[in-house]
């Protein structure tokens, strides 16, 4: 499986970190004991790595930008609005959408572990699961945003949402200026993964 943190060296060998070694060891034992079917496991991993990802969330955001009725529904009942586009499944059963405005910027973290809305964003990036992000997002959200290269207008409030096993958040970024003539597909192309976590802003057209 392709890992974004499995680094290849110039001499061709690749190095696994301790967590990856433990995962592989555990997987081998479970397979040998017959508890898991490697093909089924590959299928799950492939689903979340290639077929379910941030493009799903981008479609949701683009629809919200283009269709005020859908936006209202999304803010009222995100789980139902998102399911209407076909994005359902594990780790997305109870979704809440939070909308960025001129006054407020929203950012999502899971301080306890790595809860993340899989059906709309796929698997969480490595930094999302890291201890520094999880602790600093709450203590110093402006500092974290600066690290991500995000500068907000002075006076804008940052609201941090702590994901749990029950509730997963999707940030609806502000629609960039100059996108009035764009269709949903073009709008979706502007929506980055990080802009839906709140650690980034959408691309400009
Ligand atoms: Fe978590």
């Amino acid at each position: 499986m392709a890992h974004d943190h499995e680094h290849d060296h110039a001499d061709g060998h690749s190095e696994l970190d301790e967590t990856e070694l433990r995962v592989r060891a555990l997987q081998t034992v479970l397979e040998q004991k017959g508890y898991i079917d490697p093909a089924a496991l590959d299928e799950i991993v492939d689903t979340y790595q290639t077929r379910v990802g941030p493009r799903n969330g981008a479609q949701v955001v683009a629809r919200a930008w283009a269709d005020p009725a859908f936006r209202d529904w999304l803010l009222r009942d995100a789980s139902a609005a998102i399911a209407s586009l076909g994005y359902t499944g594990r780790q997305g059963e109870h979704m809440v959408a939070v909308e960025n405005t001129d006054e407020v910027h929203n950012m999502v973290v899971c301080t306890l572990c790595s809860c993340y809305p899989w059906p709309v964003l796929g698997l969480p990036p490595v930094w999302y699961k890291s201890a520094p992000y999880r602790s600093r997002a709450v203590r110093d959200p402006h500092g974290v945003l600066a690290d991500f290269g995000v500068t907000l207008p002075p006076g804008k409030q940052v609201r941090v949402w702590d994901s749990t096993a029950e509730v997963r958040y999707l940030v609806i970024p502000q629609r960039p200026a100059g996108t009035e003539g764009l269709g949903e597909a073009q709008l979706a192309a502007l929506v980055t993964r990080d802009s839906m976590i709140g650690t980034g802003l959408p691309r400009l057209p």
Side-chain angles (χ1 to χ4, degrees):
M1 69 198 231
H3 256 246
D4 49 4
H5 51 301
E6 182 173 322
H7 18 141
D8 289 317
H9 290 250
D11 59 6
H13 84 277
S14 83
E15 194 173 272
L16 300 177
D17 67 24
E18 196 192 320
T19 306
E20 290 165 333
L21 287 170
R22 282 174 182 273
V23 168
R24 292 211 176 175
L26 193 58
Q27 185 182 341
T28 302
V29 170
L30 290 173
E31 279 172 16
Q32 283 170 353
K33 290 185 178 290
Y35 289 127
I36 55 174
D37 169 4
L41 194 63
D42 285 346
E43 175 71 18
I44 292 170
V45 170
D46 179 66
T47 296
Y48 284 99
Q49 281 193 332
T50 61
R51 281 181 276 142
V52 179
R55 297 336 300 159
N56 291 2
Q59 300 293 336
V60 174
V61 170
R63 175 67 58 86
W65 283 349
D67 178 350
F70 182 81
R71 169 197 167 269
D72 292 345
W73 186 19
L74 186 63
L75 292 174
R76 216 170 48 241
D77 184 354
S79 307
I82 291 169
S84 78
L85 298 183
Y87 309 134
T88 58
R90 299 173 60 213
Q91 314 292 321
E93 292 88 350
H94 188 175
M95 292 292 309
V96 170
V98 290
E99 185 182 50
N100 290 347
T101 65
D102 286 340
E103 290 77 35
V104 176
H105 178 89
N106 295 284
M107 196 167 110
V108 181
V109 66
C110 175
T111 55
L112 198 62
C113 44
S114 56
C115 298
Y116 193 73
W118 292 7
V120 279
L121 295 187
L123 296 176
V126 172
W127 55 259
Y128 185 85
K129 301 181 272 187
S130 73
Y133 177 74
R134 285 158 41 209
S135 57
R136 222 174 130 226
V138 175
R139 221 174 50 240
D140 178 22
H142 289 273
V144 169
L145 287 173
D147 286 350
F148 276 89
V150 175
T151 314
L152 299 175
K156 189 179 270 207
Q157 187 197 337
V158 178
R159 203 169 284 163
V160 179
W161 301 85
D162 195 359
S163 303
T164 67
E166 279 79 39
V167 181
R168 310 296 164 96
Y169 298 93
L170 178 71
V171 174
I172 312 296
Q174 282 185 288
R175 180 171 173 163
T179 57
E180 291 73 16
L182 301 187
E184 257 181 62
Q186 293 166 302
L187 289 172
L190 304 177
V191 183
T192 62
R193 177 194 65 196
D194 288 4
S195 74
M196 294 180 280
I197 305 174
T199 52
L201 299 176
R203 297 185 185 99
L204 299 175

